[in-house]
Amino acid sequence: FHRVAINSSPVNNGNTSISVDIRNDYQNQTNGFTTAGAASNPYGITNNGSDFWLTDYNAGVDATIYHFNSAGTNVGDGFDVLAIGSGTPRDIATNASGRKPTDFWILDAGDDFVYHTNYSGSNITDGFSTSAAGASEPYGITSNGSEFWITDDDDDFVYNS
């Protein structure tokens, strides 16, 4: 998607009139990929610079992390997060940038918790409650490798944890 802004002003001759035309002509770019056949309800996404991991859930049926390569192919090494207690995975963050990730942090909107897993989806026990940090309706998560930021839909605030 993109946004176009046109700024046309006369040469500086004492006349300071400026005309700005901003058009919201968002256009779908064709360099994405479909999640059909794999993630039917994708919510969150993270990447390592080349591959993508998506959260997907159908309430009470399926809660999965899918791994897609840069061509949009389902790599097939994703994992089910119901087994670790995450029934509504809303978003995901990773510690990888330009390399294979070793860890994922999965934000669960149902129990206000961030689950920490290794690459294969095994639970690492240092997850944390988002409500303890103040986020009662967590929606998104990101990390710089040492800290987390969590958006909250209830109070329109970004919490640092």
Side-chain angles (χ1 to χ4, degrees), residues 34-103:
T34 182
T35 63
S40 59
N41 291 311
Y43 279 86
I45 187 169
T46 191
N47 76 354
N48 68 343
S50 62
D51 288 10
F52 300 90
W53 287 263
L54 283 74
T55 62
D56 178 68
Y57 77 94
N58 294 318
V61 177
D62 159 42
T64 307
I65 304 302
Y66 287 96
H67 176 192
F68 290 86
N69 65 20
S70 60
T73 303
N74 182 2
V75 176
D77 64 351
F79 51 90
D80 180 357
V81 293
L82 284 172
I84 63 167
S86 177
T88 51
R90 177 62 57 87
D91 203 8
I92 186 169
T94 185
N95 64 341
S97 178
R99 60 182 172 81
K100 179 180 175 180
T102 57
D103 297 85

Side-chain angles (χ1 to χ4, degrees), residues 3 17 21 27 48 51 69 73 81 98 113 117 134 140 142 151 160:
R3 181 177 209 159
S17 139
D21 176 20
Q27 297 175 12
N48 68 343
D51 288 10
N69 65 20
T73 303
V81 293
F113 197 81
T117 73
T142 192
T151 59
N160 178 249

Side-chain angles (χ1 to χ4, degrees), residues 15-33:
N15 181 352
T16 57
S17 139
I18 296 176
S19 170
V20 177
D21 176 20
I22 298 178
R23 292 174 277 159
N24 290 323
D25 67 341
Y26 296 102
Q27 297 175 12
N28 188 359
Q29 303 298 307
T30 58
N31 59 349
F33 58 89

